Amino acid sequence: MSGHAGHAAHAIAAVNDFVIKFANVNGSGSASANEMFAKAILRMGVPVSPRNIFPSNIQGLPTWYEVRVNERGWLGRRGGVDLMVAMNPQTWDADVKEIESGGYLFHDNSKPLPLSRLREDIRVIGMPLTAICNATYEDPRQRQLFKNIMYVGALSLLLGMDVGAIETLIAEQYRGKEKLLDANVRALHLGRDHAAGHLEPIGLQVRAADNVGERIFIDGNSAAALGCLYGGASVCAWYPITPSSSLAEAFQKYCQKYRVDPEGGGNRYAIIQAEDEIASIGILTGAGWNGARAFTATSGPGISLMNEFIGLAYFAEIPLTIIDVQRGGPSTGMPTRTQQSDVLACAYASHGDTKHVVLFPEDPSECFEFSAQALDLADRLQTPVFVLSDLDIGMNQRLCAPFTWDDAREYDRGKIMTAADLDAGRDFGRYKDVDGDGIPYRTYPGTHPERGAFFTRGTSRDPYARYSERGPDYVYNMERLLRKFDTAKALVPQPVPRQAARHAPFAAIHYGSTAPAMAEAIDVLEAQDLHLDTLRLRAFPFPESVRQFVLAHEQVFVVEQNRDAQLRTLLINEFDLDPARIVAVLHYDGTPITARFIAGEIRRRMLGANLQPRGEEEVA
């Protein structure tokens, strides 16, 4: 093996089950090469879960691309790195430290490194990438770009990957650009040829499997945009903000393909990049009042700016959908890092007494489903509805169930008073509860030339929309809004329970992007004879079954990615639960939560509760 090999007595050996991490410099052109590597393994039938960890500047800062390879199909982060591809001198020490004992370090050894920069318990694979590129290419940019393809070629040989899968991906990417295609294929084989002649085999291998099935590979933002399209959204008003911008951009791409009149060529949609988030939510409020299905895509700082309009839409009962792709906070926080940081901000958004419907998708498939459903719920309930994604789901490609859609499905427009209803003499009170579910009837603008008009106002009024500051009128309206919120409990996506194989006095509640790591953590804990029931929440308001789940267990761990245990706070507040019964398990460093972290934290707490397992092995 070229370079210092270390003295790892037990090098890691695994087939279709390892973690590889690429450490690069942002702007170096590595992103497409790393993504190609992940997709090539996927095309061999082996599930992968890649995550791009990138800086918020354009270029020059460190960026990482982590690929979980797991034939069993675990899609969350495991924790730890088995093979580090270290291409960034700035982060060298931290990258080397992250490698598991017995793992592998692949690096450019064009310039020799002192042994002090390496570790004795890992195997080091050195390849003179810069030297080979300098001898092969004259253009400095080509040297950098093809160095990335070259290390993909070397890795493909070391890991036993199908080179044909990579060549196909290159051909797809550079279709019609034959010079670029040929040059990239040449760089790929330069890397493979050098590895074949100079590098020793390693213990990590990829073998063809058939474990991908019918699943698709897509990011959550594209999935949510497609859900909005299928859900009937015709208006999108937004202001660019990481990590949600690609959602609005994807919606525009889909609309240009599917929402253009084939005869006249006119657009059957309106997409407006507003001057700020306040303007964008104002546009949505007007569109929703006028009967259009409208949505925006934003993140935490945008939610803060939108609060006054959100309060107006709640009180005036105007449907609109807000997709919040969460990031680190507060303020501008860490724009390119993930968190579940806006739970309370969305659930109680705006001033005064407000409560909002919030949906928690776990993956791109649910981003598609919930975005379409949010538009229905907003119309049915005549209120703002939030879809709470995050950067981990929104900007990373994920294997997920194929999207399904019933072409016979009709949009739920809720309680609409028609001109025929008004002509028939039906009583119309815009803010009157006539069915006991808290939801009033509304009319679209221009429904009738004489009847059905009403004042839309942010001030208090009586059931017939007449201005009123009478206490009983205000109380009636506020209590009706609560009944409407209670009605929503049966309409939103219901929780997903999982029962342990044996009686479990302990349980865990989780939501959103924690789901894949949580599933693996439970598997790890059960292997250690530590059992607990789980409940994945998919929406707020919570149905009564959530309270019963908590009360059925001695302790319930609430796993989430924020500092302040926001979901735990919501559970305690809504159900008036004993805080001692609900234990926070929190991860908030900006990286996606790992199975090791969850299993380790829950194991420690369960053992602290004097629960003795049969095995004492460490969390794997």
Side-chain angles (χ1 to χ4, degrees), residues 507-527:
I509 289 176
H510 63 104
Y511 64 106
S513 62
T514 61
M518 186 74 194
E520 184 177 2
I522 294 303
D523 194 63
V524 169
L525 290 167
E526 287 189 345

Side-chain angles (χ1 to χ4, degrees), residues 505-510 537 542 546-560 564-586 605:
F506 294 87
I509 289 176
H510 63 104
L537 299 184
F542 309 127
V546 176
R547 183 207 302 268
Q548 297 306 319
F549 179 85
V550 173
L551 296 179
H553 297 88
E554 293 176 15
Q555 277 195 332
V556 177
F557 307 108
V558 179
V559 180
E560 50 187 320
D564 293 340
Q566 294 185 27
L567 185 73
R568 176 180 179 271
T569 299
L570 203 56
L571 287 164
I572 293 170
N573 188 54
E574 291 298 311
F575 289 135
D576 196 23
L577 295 166
D578 177 7
R581 185 187 289 269
I582 306 177
V583 181
V585 176
L586 306 175
R605 287 167 166 80

Side-chain angles (χ1 to χ4, degrees), residues 2 22-24 34 84-88 92 105-111 125-137 140 142-155 158 187-195 199:
S2 179
F22 299 85
N24 300 98
N34 297 341
M84 178 69 74
V85 181
M87 294 291 140
N88 188 355
W92 175 273
L105 170 66
F106 182 99
H107 76 113
D108 182 353
N109 69 347
S110 297
K111 293 183 179 179
I125 308 163
M127 179 173 170
L129 292 164
T130 300
I132 296 172
C133 285
N134 288 347
T136 309
Y137 306 103
Q142 285 188 331
R143 289 172 175 175
Q144 176 59 55
L145 294 175
F146 290 132
K147 182 164 69 173
N148 300 322
I149 298 296
M150 199 176 298
Y151 70 60
V152 169
L155 292 171
L158 291 172
L188 177 74
H189 283 279
L190 276 174
R192 284 183 64 87
D193 292 346
H194 182 91
L199 303 181

Side-chain angles (χ1 to χ4, degrees), residues 48 60 115 120 281 437:
V48 298
L115 295 182
E120 293 292 325
I281 193 71
D437 60 3

Side-chain angles (χ1 to χ4, degrees), residues 392-596:
D392 185 29
I393 301 173
M395 295 194 70
N396 288 313
Q397 293 179 307
R398 187 85 57 84
L399 271 177
C400 65
F403 305 158
T404 59
W405 187 263
D406 182 0
D407 287 334
R409 173 174 169 176
E410 295 184 359
Y411 300 140
D412 186 349
R413 301 310 300 257
K415 296 182 179 181
I416 306 297
M417 191 78 75
T418 66
D421 293 329
L422 294 167
D423 279 335
R426 285 191 61 180
D427 179 40
F428 176 59
R430 175 62 186 96
Y431 300 106
K432 185 178 181 180
D433 185 0
V434 296
D435 299 320
D437 60 3
I439 306 172
Y441 279 82
R442 62 174 171 147
T443 57
Y444 291 137
T447 293
H448 195 284
E450 298 174 354
R451 303 184 181 97
F454 61 92
F455 280 108
T456 301
R457 59 174 84 245
T459 50
S460 56
R461 65 272 164 156
D462 70 8
Y464 290 90
R466 296 173 300 209
Y467 179 81
S468 172
E469 292 189 13
R470 292 180 64 250
D473 287 337
Y474 180 78
V475 170
Y476 170 86
N477 197 57
M478 295 301 286
E479 290 184 350
R480 181 182 57 77
L481 290 172
L482 273 183
R483 285 196 299 276
K484 183 166 70 170
F485 191 73
D486 194 56
T487 297
K489 293 178 182 179
L491 301 177
V492 298
Q494 297 300 293
V496 178
R498 175 198 168 276
Q499 190 170 356
R502 49 182 267 193
H503 173 69
F506 294 87
I509 289 176
H510 63 104
Y511 64 106
S513 62
T514 61
M518 186 74 194
E520 184 177 2
I522 294 303
D523 194 63
V524 169
L525 290 167
E526 287 189 345
Q528 300 173 9
D529 201 27
L530 295 172
H531 300 269
L532 68 163
D533 300 327
T534 64
L535 188 71
R536 178 168 70 88
L537 299 184
R538 301 201 297 163
F540 174 73
F542 309 127
E544 179 61 23
S545 61
V546 176
R547 183 207 302 268
Q548 297 306 319
F549 179 85
V550 173
L551 296 179
H553 297 88
E554 293 176 15
Q555 277 195 332
V556 177
F557 307 108
V558 179
V559 180
E560 50 187 320
Q561 299 182 85
N562 57 67
R563 184 197 68 181
D564 293 340
Q566 294 185 27
L567 185 73
R568 176 180 179 271
T569 299
L570 203 56
L571 287 164
I572 293 170
N573 188 54
E574 291 298 311
F575 289 135
D576 196 23
L577 295 166
D578 177 7
R581 185 187 289 269
I582 306 177
V583 181
V585 176
L586 306 175
H587 180 276
Y588 50 92
D589 68 359
T591 62
I593 198 167
T594 67
R596 286 186 178 180

